[in-house]
Amino acid sequence: MTIASILGAIVIGAVIGALGRLLLPGRQAIGLILTVVVGIVAALIGTAIAQVLGVATTDGIDWIELVMQVGLAIVGVGLVAGLKRSRV
């Protein structure tokens, strides 16, 4: 694992997490770092699911994979915000 791949995962995680948080209705009381972590996890799981389902990898943007990743980020942000709210 190189520094570039780690930085790439952080950037992609931030984008996926931010999109998930943006599309989730209501206010989520989680911070930026937690949003990025949820985004990274959602991106990894979404990519794995897309590969299992046989979604073809293209040279451009893989829209089906991106939709899966953002959908998982929405669920992840909702779960983390709900768990954090229940602990307070």
Side-chain angles (χ1 to χ4, degrees):
M1 185 172 280
T2 65
I3 296 294
S5 64
I6 293 170
L7 291 176
I10 292 170
V11 170
I12 290 170
V15 171
I16 297 295
L19 285 172
R21 195 166 171 181
L22 179 70
L23 295 174
L24 185 66
R27 181 174 161 85
Q28 299 84 35
I30 63 172
L32 178 66
I33 294 174
L34 204 49
T35 301
V36 172
V37 170
V38 169
I40 291 170
V41 171
L44 292 172
I45 294 172
T47 299
I49 291 172
Q51 289 176 352
V52 168
L53 294 177
V55 174
T57 303
T58 61
D59 292 334
I61 298 173
D62 293 326
W63 292 105
I64 297 171
E65 183 177 340
L66 181 64
V67 168
M68 287 181 194
Q69 292 170 337
V70 172
L72 288 168
I74 292 170
V75 171
V77 167
L79 286 173
V80 170
L83 288 173
K84 189 171 180 186
R85 188 177 316 128
S86 68
R87 286 182 45 204
V88 174

Coordinates of all heavy atoms in Angstrom, one line a residue:
M1 N 0.9 -1.2 0.0 CA 0.0 0.0 0.0 C 0.9 1.2 0.0 O 1.7 1.4 0.9 CB -0.9 0.0 1.2 CG -1.9 1.1 1.2 SD -3.1 0.9 2.5 CE -4.2 -0.3 1.8
T2 N 0.7 2.1 -1.0 CA 1.5 3.3 -1.1 C 0.8 4.5 -0.5 O -0.4 4.5 -0.2 CB 1.8 3.6 -2.6 OG1 0.6 3.9 -3.2 CG2 2.5 2.4 -3.2
I3 N 1.6 5.6 -0.3 CA 1.0 6.8 0.2 C -0.1 7.3 -0.8 O -1.1 7.8 -0.3 CB 2.1 7.9 0.3 CG1 3.1 7.4 1.4 CG2 1.6 9.2 0.7 CD1 2.6 7.4 2.8
A4 N 0.2 7.2 -2.1 CA -0.8 7.7 -3.1 C -2.1 6.9 -2.9 O -3.2 7.5 -3.0 CB -0.3 7.5 -4.5
S5 N -2.1 5.6 -2.7 CA -3.3 4.8 -2.6 C -4.1 5.2 -1.3 O -5.3 5.2 -1.2 CB -3.1 3.3 -2.7 OG -2.3 2.9 -1.6
I6 N -3.3 5.5 -0.2 CA -3.9 5.9 1.0 C -4.6 7.2 0.9 O -5.7 7.4 1.3 CB -2.9 5.9 2.2 CG1 -2.4 4.5 2.5 CG2 -3.5 6.5 3.4 CD1 -1.2 4.4 3.4
L7 N -3.9 8.2 0.3 CA -4.5 9.5 0.0 C -5.7 9.4 -0.9 O -6.7 10.1 -0.7 CB -3.4 10.5 -0.5 CG -2.3 10.9 0.4 CD1 -1.3 11.7 -0.3 CD2 -2.9 11.6 1.7
G8 N -5.6 8.6 -1.9 CA -6.7 8.4 -2.8 C -7.9 7.8 -2.1 O -9.1 8.3 -2.3
A9 N -7.7 6.9 -1.2 CA -8.8 6.3 -0.4 C -9.5 7.4 0.5 O -10.7 7.4 0.6 CB -8.3 5.1 0.4
I10 N -8.6 8.3 1.0 CA -9.2 9.3 1.9 C -10.0 10.3 1.1 O -11.1 10.7 1.5 CB -8.0 10.0 2.6 CG1 -7.4 9.1 3.7 CG2 -8.5 11.3 3.3 CD1 -6.1 9.6 4.3
V11 N -9.5 10.7 -0.1 CA -10.2 11.6 -0.9 C -11.5 11.0 -1.4 O -12.6 11.6 -1.4 CB -9.3 12.1 -2.1 CG1 -10.1 12.9 -3.1 CG2 -8.2 12.9 -1.6
I12 N -11.5 9.8 -1.9 CA -12.7 9.1 -2.4 C -13.7 8.9 -1.2 O -14.9 9.1 -1.4 CB -12.3 7.8 -3.1 CG1 -11.6 8.1 -4.4 CG2 -13.6 6.9 -3.3 CD1 -11.0 6.9 -5.1
G13 N -13.1 8.5 -0.1 CA -14.0 8.4 1.1 C -14.7 9.7 1.5 O -15.8 9.7 1.9
A14 N -13.9 10.8 1.4 CA -14.5 12.1 1.7 C -15.6 12.4 0.8 O -16.7 12.9 1.2 CB -13.4 13.2 1.7
V15 N -15.4 12.2 -0.5 CA -16.5 12.5 -1.5 C -17.7 11.6 -1.3 O -18.8 12.1 -1.3 CB -15.9 12.4 -3.0 CG1 -17.0 12.5 -4.0 CG2 -14.8 13.4 -3.2
I16 N -17.5 10.3 -1.2 CA -18.6 9.3 -1.0 C -19.3 9.6 0.3 O -20.6 9.7 0.3 CB -18.1 7.9 -1.1 CG1 -17.4 7.5 -2.4 CG2 -19.2 6.9 -0.7 CD1 -18.4 7.5 -3.6
G17 N -18.6 9.9 1.4 CA -19.2 10.2 2.6 C -20.0 11.5 2.6 O -21.1 11.6 3.1
A18 N -19.4 12.5 1.9 CA -20.1 13.8 1.8 C -21.4 13.7 1.0 O -22.5 14.2 1.3 CB -19.2 14.8 1.2
L19 N -21.4 12.9 -0.1 CA -22.6 12.7 -0.9 C -23.6 11.9 -0.1 O -24.8 12.2 -0.2 CB -22.2 11.9 -2.2 CG -21.5 12.6 -3.3 CD1 -21.0 11.7 -4.4 CD2 -22.4 13.7 -3.9
G20 N -23.2 10.9 0.6 CA -24.1 10.2 1.5 C -24.8 11.0 2.5 O -26.0 11.0 2.7
R21 N -24.0 11.9 3.1 CA -24.5 12.8 4.1 C -25.4 13.9 3.5 O -26.4 14.3 4.1 CB -23.3 13.5 4.8 CG -23.7 14.1 6.1 CD -22.4 14.5 6.9 NE -22.8 15.3 8.0 CZ -22.0 15.8 8.9 NH1 -20.7 15.5 8.8 NH2 -22.4 16.5 9.9
L22 N -25.1 14.3 2.3 CA -25.9 15.3 1.6 C -27.2 14.8 1.2 O -28.3 15.5 1.4 CB -25.1 15.8 0.4 CG -25.8 16.8 -0.5 CD1 -25.9 18.2 0.2 CD2 -25.1 17.0 -1.8
L23 N -27.3 13.5 0.8 CA -28.5 12.9 0.3 C -29.4 12.4 1.5 O -30.6 12.1 1.3 CB -28.2 11.8 -0.7 CG -27.6 12.3 -2.0 CD1 -27.2 11.1 -2.8 CD2 -28.5 13.2 -2.7
L24 N -28.8 12.2 2.7 CA -29.6 11.8 3.8 C -30.4 12.9 4.4 O -29.8 13.9 4.8 CB -28.7 11.1 4.9 CG -29.4 10.5 6.1 CD1 -30.2 9.3 5.6 CD2 -28.3 10.1 7.1
P25 N -31.7 12.8 4.5 CA -32.5 13.9 5.0 C -32.2 14.2 6.5 O -31.9 13.2 7.2 CB -33.9 13.5 4.8 CG -33.9 12.2 4.2 CD -32.5 11.7 4.0
G26 N -32.3 15.4 6.9 CA -32.2 15.7 8.3 C -30.7 16.1 8.7 O -29.9 16.1 7.8
R27 N -30.5 16.4 9.9 CA -29.2 16.8 10.4 C -28.5 15.6 11.0 O -29.1 14.9 11.9 CB -29.4 17.9 11.4 CG -28.1 18.4 12.0 CD -28.4 19.6 12.9 NE -27.3 19.9 13.8 CZ -26.2 20.6 13.4 NH1 -26.1 21.1 12.2 NH2 -25.2 20.8 14.3
Q28 N -27.3 15.4 10.7 CA -26.5 14.3 11.2 C -25.4 14.9 12.1 O -24.6 15.8 11.7 CB -25.8 13.5 10.1 CG -26.7 12.8 9.2 CD -27.2 13.7 8.1 OE1 -26.4 14.5 7.6 NE2 -28.4 13.6 7.7
A29 N -25.4 14.5 13.3 CA -24.4 15.1 14.3 C -23.1 14.3 14.4 O -22.7 13.8 15.4 CB -25.1 15.1 15.7
I30 N -22.5 14.1 13.2 CA -21.2 13.4 13.2 C -20.2 14.4 12.5 O -20.6 15.2 11.7 CB -21.3 12.1 12.4 CG1 -21.7 12.2 11.0 CG2 -22.2 11.1 13.1 CD1 -21.5 10.9 10.2
G31 N -19.0 14.2 12.9 CA -17.9 15.1 12.4 C -17.4 14.7 11.0 O -17.8 13.7 10.4
L32 N -16.4 15.5 10.5 CA -15.8 15.3 9.2 C -15.0 14.0 9.2 O -15.1 13.2 8.2 CB -14.9 16.5 8.9 CG -14.2 16.4 7.6 CD1 -15.1 16.4 6.4 CD2 -13.2 17.5 7.4
I33 N -14.3 13.7 10.2 CA -13.4 12.5 10.2 C -14.3 11.2 10.2 O -14.0 10.3 9.4 CB -12.5 12.5 11.4 CG1 -11.5 13.6 11.3 CG2 -11.8 11.1 11.5 CD1 -10.6 13.8 12.4
L34 N -15.4 11.2 10.9 CA -16.3 10.1 10.9 C -17.0 9.9 9.6 O -17.2 8.8 9.1 CB -17.3 10.2 12.1 CG -17.9 8.9 12.6 CD1 -16.9 7.9 12.9 CD2 -18.7 9.2 13.8
T35 N -17.3 11.0 9.0 CA -17.9 11.0 7.6 C -17.0 10.4 6.6 O -17.4 9.6 5.8 CB -18.3 12.4 7.2 OG1 -19.3 13.0 8.1 CG2 -19.0 12.4 5.8
V36 N -15.7 10.8 6.7 CA -14.7 10.2 5.8 C -14.5 8.7 6.0 O -14.4 8.0 5.0 CB -13.4 11.0 5.9 CG1 -12.3 10.3 5.1 CG2 -13.5 12.4 5.4
V37 N -14.5 8.3 7.3 CA -14.3 6.9 7.6 C -15.5 6.1 7.0 O -15.3 5.0 6.4 CB -14.2 6.7 9.1 CG1 -14.3 5.2 9.5 CG2 -12.8 7.3 9.6
V38 N -16.7 6.6 7.2 CA -17.9 5.9 6.7 C -17.8 5.9 5.2 O -18.2 4.9 4.6 CB -19.2 6.7 7.2 CG1 -20.4 6.1 6.4 CG2 -19.4 6.5 8.6
G39 N -17.4 7.0 4.5 CA -17.2 7.0 3.1 C -16.2 6.0 2.6 O -16.4 5.3 1.6
I40 N -15.1 5.9 3.3 CA -14.1 4.9 2.9 C -14.6 3.5 3.0 O -14.5 2.7 2.0 CB -12.8 5.0 3.7 CG1 -12.1 6.4 3.4 CG2 -11.9 3.9 3.5 CD1 -11.0 6.7 4.3
V41 N -15.3 3.2 4.1 CA -15.9 1.8 4.2 C -16.9 1.6 3.2 O -17.0 0.5 2.6 CB -16.4 1.7 5.7 CG1 -17.2 0.4 5.8 CG2 -15.3 1.7 6.7
A42 N -17.8 2.6 2.9 CA -18.8 2.4 1.9 C -18.2 2.2 0.5 O -18.7 1.4 -0.2 CB -19.8 3.6 1.9
A43 N -17.2 2.9 0.2 CA -16.5 2.8 -1.1 C -15.9 1.4 -1.2 O -16.1 0.7 -2.3 CB -15.4 3.8 -1.3
L44 N -15.3 0.9 -0.2 CA -14.7 -0.5 -0.3 C -15.7 -1.5 -0.4 O -15.6 -2.5 -1.2 CB -13.8 -0.7 1.0 CG -12.5 0.1 1.1 CD1 -11.9 -0.1 2.4 CD2 -11.6 -0.2 -0.1
I45 N -16.8 -1.5 0.4 CA -17.8 -2.5 0.4 C -18.6 -2.4 -1.0 O -18.9 -3.4 -1.6 CB -18.8 -2.3 1.6 CG1 -18.0 -2.7 2.9 CG2 -20.0 -3.2 1.4 CD1 -18.8 -2.4 4.1
G46 N -18.9 -1.1 -1.4 CA -19.6 -1.0 -2.7 C -18.8 -1.5 -3.9 O -19.4 -2.1 -4.8
T47 N -17.5 -1.3 -3.9 CA -16.7 -1.9 -4.9 C -16.7 -3.4 -4.9 O -16.8 -4.1 -5.9 CB -15.2 -1.4 -4.8 OG1 -15.2 0.0 -4.9 CG2 -14.3 -2.0 -5.8
A48 N -16.6 -4.0 -3.7 CA -16.6 -5.5 -3.5 C -17.9 -6.0 -4.0 O -18.0 -7.0 -4.8 CB -16.4 -5.8 -2.1
I49 N -19.0 -5.4 -3.7 CA -20.4 -5.8 -4.1 C -20.5 -5.7 -5.6 O -21.0 -6.7 -6.3 CB -21.5 -5.1 -3.4 CG1 -21.5 -5.4 -1.9 CG2 -22.8 -5.3 -4.1 CD1 -22.5 -4.5 -1.1
A50 N -20.0 -4.6 -6.2 CA -20.0 -4.5 -7.7 C -19.2 -5.6 -8.4 O -19.7 -6.1 -9.4 CB -19.5 -3.1 -8.0
Q51 N -18.1 -5.9 -7.8 CA -17.3 -7.0 -8.4 C -18.0 -8.3 -8.3 O -17.9 -9.1 -9.3 CB -15.9 -7.0 -7.8 CG -15.0 -5.8 -8.1 CD -13.7 -5.8 -7.4 OE1 -13.5 -6.6 -6.5 NE2 -12.8 -4.9 -7.8
V52 N -18.6 -8.6 -7.2 CA -19.3 -9.9 -7.0 C -20.5 -10.0 -8.0 O -20.8 -11.0 -8.6 CB -19.8 -10.0 -5.6 CG1 -20.8 -11.2 -5.4 CG2 -18.6 -10.3 -4.6
L53 N -21.2 -8.8 -8.2 CA -22.3 -8.8 -9.1 C -21.9 -8.8 -10.6 O -22.7 -8.9 -11.5 CB -23.2 -7.6 -8.8 CG -23.9 -7.6 -7.5 CD1 -24.7 -6.3 -7.3 CD2 -24.8 -8.8 -7.4
G54 N -20.6 -8.6 -10.8 CA -20.1 -8.6 -12.2 C -20.3 -7.3 -12.9 O -20.3 -7.3 -14.2
V55 N -20.4 -6.2 -12.2 CA -20.5 -4.9 -12.9 C -19.1 -4.6 -13.6 O -18.1 -4.7 -13.0 CB -20.7 -3.8 -11.8 CG1 -20.7 -2.4 -12.5 CG2 -22.1 -4.0 -11.2
A56 N -19.2 -4.4 -14.9 CA -18.0 -4.2 -15.7 C -17.3 -2.9 -15.3 O -17.9 -1.9 -15.0 CB -18.4 -4.1 -17.1
T57 N -16.0 -3.0 -15.2 CA -15.1 -1.8 -14.9 C -14.9 -1.1 -16.3 O -14.5 -1.8 -17.2 CB -13.8 -2.2 -14.3 OG1 -14.1 -3.0 -13.1 CG2 -12.9 -1.0 -14.0
T58 N -15.1 0.2 -16.3 CA -15.0 0.9 -17.5 C -13.8 1.9 -17.4 O -13.3 2.1 -16.3 CB -16.3 1.7 -17.9 OG1 -16.6 2.6 -16.8 CG2 -17.4 0.7 -18.1
D59 N -13.4 2.6 -18.5 CA -12.4 3.6 -18.4 C -12.9 4.9 -17.8 O -12.1 5.6 -17.2 CB -11.9 3.9 -19.9 CG -11.2 2.7 -20.5 OD1 -10.6 1.9 -19.7 OD2 -11.1 2.6 -21.7
G60 N -14.2 5.1 -17.9 CA -14.7 6.3 -17.3 C -15.3 6.1 -15.9 O -14.7 5.3 -15.1
I61 N -16.3 6.8 -15.6 CA -17.0 6.6 -14.3 C -17.9 5.4 -14.3 O -18.7 5.2 -15.2 CB -17.8 7.9 -13.9 CG1 -16.9 9.1 -13.8 CG2 -18.6 7.7 -12.6 CD1 -17.6 10.4 -13.7
D62 N -17.7 4.6 -13.3 CA -18.6 3.4 -13.1 C -19.8 3.8 -12.3 O -19.8 3.8 -11.1 CB -17.8 2.3 -12.4 CG -16.7 1.7 -13.2 OD1 -16.8 1.7 -14.5 OD2 -15.7 1.3 -12.6
W63 N -20.9 4.2 -13.0 CA -22.0 4.8 -12.4 C -22.7 3.8 -11.5 O -23.2 4.2 -10.4 CB -23.0 5.4 -13.4 CG -22.4 6.5 -14.2 CD1 -21.9 6.6 -15.4 CD2 -22.2 7.9 -13.6 NE1 -21.4 7.8 -15.7 CE2 -21.6 8.6 -14.6 CE3 -22.5 8.5 -12.4 CZ2 -21.3 10.0 -14.4 CZ3 -22.2 9.8 -12.2 CH2 -21.6 10.5 -13.2
I64 N -22.9 2.6 -11.9 CA -23.6 1.6 -11.0 C -22.8 1.4 -9.7 O -23.4 1.4 -8.6 CB -23.7 0.3 -11.8 CG1 -24.6 0.5 -13.0 CG2 -24.3 -0.8 -10.9 CD1 -24.7 -0.7 -13.9
E65 N -21.5 1.3 -9.8 CA -20.7 1.1 -8.6 C -20.8 2.4 -7.7 O -20.9 2.3 -6.5 CB -19.2 0.9 -9.0 CG -18.3 0.6 -7.9 CD -16.9 0.3 -8.4 OE1 -16.7 -0.1 -9.5 OE2 -15.9 0.5 -7.6
L66 N -20.8 3.6 -8.3 CA -20.9 4.8 -7.6 C -22.2 4.9 -6.8 O -22.2 5.3 -5.7 CB -20.7 6.0 -8.5 CG -20.7 7.4 -7.9 CD1 -19.6 7.5 -6.9 CD2 -20.7 8.5 -8.9
V67 N -23.3 4.5 -7.5 CA -24.6 4.5 -6.8 C -24.6 3.5 -5.7 O -25.1 3.9 -4.6 CB -25.7 4.2 -7.9 CG1 -27.0 3.9 -7.2 CG2 -25.9 5.3 -8.9
M68 N -24.0 2.4 -5.8 CA -23.9 1.4 -4.7 C -23.1 2.0 -3.5 O -23.5 1.9 -2.4 CB -23.2 0.1 -5.1 CG -24.0 -0.7 -6.0 SD -23.1 -2.2 -6.4 CE -24.0 -2.9 -7.8
Q69 N -22.0 2.7 -3.8 CA -21.2 3.3 -2.8 C -21.9 4.4 -2.1 O -21.9 4.4 -0.8 CB -19.9 3.8 -3.4 CG -19.0 2.7 -3.9 CD -17.8 3.2 -4.7 OE1 -17.8 4.3 -5.3 NE2 -16.7 2.5 -4.8
V70 N -22.6 5.3 -2.8 CA -23.3 6.4 -2.2 C -24.5 5.8 -1.3 O -24.7 6.3 -0.2 CB -23.7 7.4 -3.2 CG1 -24.6 8.4 -2.6 CG2 -22.5 8.1 -3.8
G71 N -25.1 4.8 -1.9 CA -26.2 4.2 -1.1 C -25.8 3.6 0.2 O -26.4 3.8 1.2
L72 N -24.6 2.9 0.1 CA -24.1 2.4 1.4 C -23.6 3.5 2.3 O -23.7 3.4 3.5 CB -22.9 1.4 1.1 CG -23.3 0.1 0.4 CD1 -22.1 -0.6 -0.1 CD2 -24.0 -0.8 1.5
A73 N -23.1 4.6 1.8 CA -22.7 5.7 2.6 C -23.9 6.3 3.3 O -23.8 6.8 4.5 CB -22.0 6.8 1.8
I74 N -25.1 6.4 2.6 CA -26.3 7.0 3.2 C -26.7 6.1 4.4 O -27.0 6.6 5.5 CB -27.4 7.0 2.2 CG1 -27.1 8.1 1.1 CG2 -28.8 7.3 2.8 CD1 -28.0 8.1 -0.1
V75 N -26.7 4.8 4.2 CA -27.0 3.9 5.3 C -26.0 4.0 6.4 O -26.4 4.1 7.6 CB -27.1 2.4 4.7 CG1 -27.2 1.4 5.9 CG2 -28.2 2.3 3.7
G76 N -24.7 4.0 6.0 CA -23.7 4.1 7.1 C -23.7 5.4 7.9 O -23.6 5.4 9.1
V77 N -23.9 6.5 7.2 CA -24.1 7.8 7.9 C -25.3 7.8 8.8 O -25.2 8.2 10.0 CB -24.1 9.0 6.9 CG1 -24.5 10.3 7.6 CG2 -22.8 9.2 6.3
G78 N -26.4 7.2 8.3 CA -27.6 7.1 9.2 C -27.4 6.3 10.4 O -27.8 6.6 11.5
L79 N -26.7 5.1 10.2 CA -26.4 4.2 11.3 C -25.5 4.9 12.4 O -25.8 4.8 13.6 CB -25.8 2.9 10.8 CG -26.8 2.0 10.2 CD1 -26.0 0.8 9.6 CD2 -27.8 1.5 11.1
V80 N -24.4 5.5 11.9 CA -23.5 6.1 12.8 C -24.1 7.3 13.5 O -23.9 7.4 14.7 CB -22.2 6.5 12.0 CG1 -21.3 7.4 12.9 CG2 -21.4 5.3 11.5
A81 N -24.9 8.1 12.8 CA -25.5 9.2 13.5 C -26.5 8.8 14.5 O -26.6 9.3 15.6 CB -26.2 10.1 12.4
G82 N -27.2 7.7 14.2 CA -28.2 7.1 15.1 C -27.5 6.5 16.3 O -28.0 6.7 17.5
L83 N -26.4 5.8 16.1 CA -25.7 5.2 17.3 C -25.1 6.3 18.1 O -25.1 6.2 19.4 CB -24.6 4.3 16.7 CG -25.1 3.0 16.2 CD1 -23.9 2.2 15.5 CD2 -25.8 2.1 17.2
K84 N -24.6 7.4 17.5 CA -24.0 8.4 18.3 C -25.0 9.2 19.1 O -24.8 9.6 20.2 CB -23.2 9.4 17.3 CG -22.4 10.4 18.1 CD -21.5 11.2 17.2 CE -20.7 12.2 18.0 NZ -20.0 13.1 17.1
R85 N -26.2 9.4 18.5 CA -27.3 10.1 19.2 C -27.8 9.3 20.4 O -28.1 9.8 21.4 CB -28.4 10.4 18.2 CG -29.5 11.2 18.8 CD -30.6 11.6 17.8 NE -30.1 12.0 16.5 CZ -30.6 11.4 15.4 NH1 -31.5 10.5 15.4 NH2 -30.1 11.8 14.2
S86 N -27.9 7.9 20.2 CA -28.4 7.1 21.3 C -27.4 7.0 22.5 O -27.8 6.7 23.6 CB -28.7 5.7 20.8 OG -27.5 5.0 20.4
R87 N -26.1 7.2 22.2 CA -25.1 7.2 23.3 C -25.1 8.5 24.1 O -24.7 8.5 25.2 CB -23.7 7.0 22.7 CG -23.5 5.6 22.2 CD -22.2 5.3 21.7 NE -21.1 5.9 22.5 CZ -19.9 6.3 22.1 NH1 -19.6 6.1 20.9 NH2 -19.0 6.8 23.0
V88 N -25.6 9.6 23.5 CA -25.5 10.9 24.2 C -26.6 11.1 25.2 O -27.6 10.5 25.3 CB -25.5 12.0 23.2 CG1 -25.6 13.4 23.9 CG2 -24.3 11.9 22.3

